[in-house]
Amino acid sequence: MTVASDSPHRRTKRPNRLFKNWMAKVASLPMIMTALFVFVGGTAWTVTYSFTGSRMLPKTKWVGFDQYERLWETDRWIISIKNLAVYGGCSLVLTLVLGFSLAACLDRKIRFESAFRTIFLYPFALSFVVTGLVWQWILNPDFGLQSVVRGWGWESFTFNPLNDPETVIFGLLIAGLWQGTGLIMCIMLAGLRGIDEDIWKATRVDGIGTVKTYVVVIIPMMRPVFITALVLIASGIIKLYDLVVAQTGGGPGLSSEVPAKYVIEYMFRAQNLGQGFAASTMMLCSVVIILIPWAYLEFGGRKRG
Amino acid sequence: MSKIIKTLVAGTALTAASATIASAEGVELEVTHWWTSGGEAAAVSKFADAWNATGNTWVDGAIAGSGGTARPIIISRILGGDPMAATQLNHGRQAQELIEAGLLLDLTDVAEAGGWSDIVNPSSLLGACTLDGRIYCVPVNIHSAQWIWLSHDAYKNAGLDVPTNWHEFVASSGDLKAAGTLPLAMGQQGWQQNIAFGAVTLAVAGLDAWTEVNVNKNADVARGPEYTAAFEAVAASRALAAESNVQDWNQATNMVITGKAGAQIMGDWAQGEFAVAKAVEGQDYSCLPGLGLNAVLDTGGDAFYFPVNDDPEITAAQKELAALLISPEVQVSFNLAKGSLPVRGDIDMSAANGCMQKGLGILAEGGVLPSGDISFSQDTTLQIEDLMAQFWSSDMSATDAQAAYAKLIEDAD
């Protein structure tokens, strides 16, 4: 009702809409400019130069799709993509499951909750480089976990993921989960605390079990929290780089290479900007392919509704 | 609190002091390099001392990490208009585009005045600094990669004689393994595996085939029978290094020093590790240049480049420094500390140890090859390293690896 009575009044003001809140708009100009020039401009520049034969210095020597052809013929790039897919899939599922389970456990009003929360969140305070190095040592067969367990008398115990090309990516995954789960747990916990007590009372009256209540009632109610967590996890996966550099250096051989490392090494070590740009453009494409349909469903749908 | 004040006072005093020096007569030159390990830092201080002794000031700009970390920093500073006065790079093609863009100082007049073309040995080093007949860098040392380092302890424990060439080493590897020693230590990184590949290829495929592939980029030879034999030999050495779990080269060297591994194929910089461990050449370890088969070494190494500067005073000082770096006394003191070979053949290196003497002997006889830095672009080098990393750490067949390698040589630039 109020909307209807307001609208003629708004319509008369419409020509001035650009100047509405002009102070705020002027204040945000620098940020808008930065976003346009640095992000949009930088992205456009990168994509453009991925079609050139630039080596150490950017040059406009057009080579068409040569860089992309070479990229997709390179074993290292294919291995990188596969590794990221395995790491990403496992990391996404496990972080959400573990994060939510931990949060649900803490939400059961246990003792020393804040102590546990701190312990679980603590790894997140470390940089990936530290995490990588620590886990490189823990997983080292000569003085890490394996030797400790063998020292306890279990002589045949073998746990050496980092030196086996087949399992190295799971060694990275362990470190990644150790670091990342705590934050997701905290976000989930905040979400759980936002659930009205009455919901719990209602389910109890209806005689629904605790686990079922979580799965059927609480999780659907926490949709925004899950989306926040999903974006955080996904961006962490795509930019996976420092953990690999610190923990395995991409080895053994090429078996733990990731796309971001390919980009950096071809841009700077190989002094081949064109190839690095082509690889980073492909990374952008993969993000866009996932992001656009999701954003359309998430935001476009709501607007229509 | 007092600590902060002290630091501030010290800082002010330093600034004041350096300002006085600059105004007195000398010039401050900032020199960037990536020599940060113990032996390397000692070597670079020889340069700094010599330069400071001329009344000028050496501002040390060491960049921690390897060349792979430091080069992008150095290059982006030059490109970004904040050039240092001088910088280390590996001579060869790393700086080619910077020279083409006119960002590096032409040293031709200094070189002519110093008669570099007569004193630099091998002359190919100066060639690597030359573009279109002009000289842009001053080579300071030679590092070669074709060395195998053998542990006397490991062979003594297995009751074997220390091999004198690659074939004997391969023959002895079975017994070494039976004695519980890893035959070949290998850091699981592409560049190290590439060095081993290069050394084995040179020994097995022979000098002619090697030159044809690495210098003339002849892909047909890379597909030929000599290289088939070489790839099979590398596949066999892969089996010898199968249980080597270390990553960094110095960890692998350490396995040789402690007798846990029989041997390592690594460049002559490994000598620094033996020296730090107080191991004696001929008694605790042996070194075989060219794997004991082909007495040839490649001539990679370091060179200094001087970015163009607007200030004529600095430009003059840059040229003065260039001449100093290649002067006989500085060459001797620097290379003895660094464990590398000098770039001029007319100086007295009698203080050098056995391994360096072997290297000097090969240089004097002219057994030199261009290094990978000189013949291949960084792009091709990284692609070959990637292939080697894959080949050494998987069960990729020698035939597949050879085909992939030949393809890279075909596309190489």
Side-chain angles (χ1 to χ4, degrees), chain B residues 60-106:
Chain B
D60 199 67
I63 300 171
S66 61
T69 315
R71 267 195 301 276
I73 298 173
I74 292 169
I75 289 166
S76 54
R77 271 192 62 187
I78 297 174
L79 290 179
D82 176 28
M84 61 300 287
T87 185
Q88 174 207 3
L89 284 173
N90 300 112
H91 49 229
R93 301 188 36 190
Q94 289 170 356
Q96 192 178 331
E97 284 193 49
L98 291 176
I99 297 172
E100 283 167 358
L103 292 165
L104 296 175
L105 186 66
D106 185 346

Side-chain angles (χ1 to χ4, degrees), chain B residues 271 335-336 340-342 348-357 360:
Chain B
Q271 201 169 271
N335 283 301
L336 284 180
S340 51
L341 303 178
D348 177 27
M349 291 292 286
S350 52
N353 75 4
C355 288
M356 275 177 84
Q357 296 294 358
L360 286 167

Side-chain angles (χ1 to χ4, degrees), chain B residues 361-409:
Chain B
I362 291 171
L363 272 193
E365 285 162 23
V368 291
L369 299 169
S371 77
D373 285 336
I374 295 173
S375 41
F376 291 128
S377 68
Q378 291 289 296
D379 189 30
T380 307
T381 308
L382 184 58
Q383 283 180 288
I384 295 175
E385 284 177 9
D386 284 352
L387 173 65
M388 286 306 143
Q390 205 180 353
F391 181 48
W392 279 83
S393 64
S394 66
D395 52 2
M396 190 179 195
S397 75
T399 326
D400 290 350
Q402 190 183 4
Y405 180 73
K407 176 85 175 51
L408 290 180
I409 296 297

Side-chain angles (χ1 to χ4, degrees), chain A residues 296-305:
Chain A
Y296 185 76
L297 284 176
E298 191 62 23
F299 302 110
R302 191 166 291 168
K303 214 172 267 173
R304 275 200 309 277

Side-chain angles (χ1 to χ4, degrees), chain B residues 140-153:
Chain B
V140 294
N141 65 357
I142 302 168
H143 274 304
S144 50
Q146 292 75 17
W147 295 78
I148 186 165
W149 307 86
L150 298 154
S151 165
H152 285 207
D153 274 355

Side-chain angles (χ1 to χ4, degrees), chain B residues 101-157:
Chain B
L103 292 165
L104 296 175
L105 186 66
D106 185 346
L107 299 172
T108 313
D109 49 343
V110 188
E112 278 167 5
W116 290 4
S117 55
D118 301 322
I119 57 171
V120 173
N121 174 54
S123 55
S124 61
L125 286 181
L126 203 56
C129 283
T130 311
L131 192 79
D132 299 329
R134 311 297 290 174
I135 293 167
Y136 291 92
C137 68
V138 42
V140 294
N141 65 357
I142 302 168
H143 274 304
S144 50
Q146 292 75 17
W147 295 78
I148 186 165
W149 307 86
L150 298 154
S151 165
H152 285 207
D153 274 355
Y155 280 91
K156 207 188 290 163
N157 291 344

Side-chain angles (χ1 to χ4, degrees), chain A residues 55-57 59 70 73 75-76 79 141 160 162-163 165 248 251-254 265-266 268-272, chain B residues 68 71-72 75 79 93-95 97-98 100-101 188 245 247 377-379 382-383 385-386 389-390 393 413:
Chain A
R55 281 309 186 75
M56 186 203 281
L57 310 176
K59 282 184 195 143
R70 176 177 149 187
E73 279 172 6
D75 279 350
R76 176 170 173 180
I79 294 170
N160 186 10
L162 294 188
N163 287 311
T248 67
L254 300 178
E265 295 212 342
Y266 273 88
F268 296 115
R269 252 186 75 195
Q271 301 176 348
N272 190 338
Chain B
R71 267 195 301 276
I75 289 166
L79 290 179
R93 301 188 36 190
Q94 289 170 356
E97 284 193 49
L98 291 176
E100 283 167 358
Q188 303 291 324
N245 277 344
Q247 298 289 330
S377 68
Q378 291 289 296
D379 189 30
L382 184 58
Q383 283 180 288
E385 284 177 9
D386 284 352
Q390 205 180 353
S393 64
D413 56 349

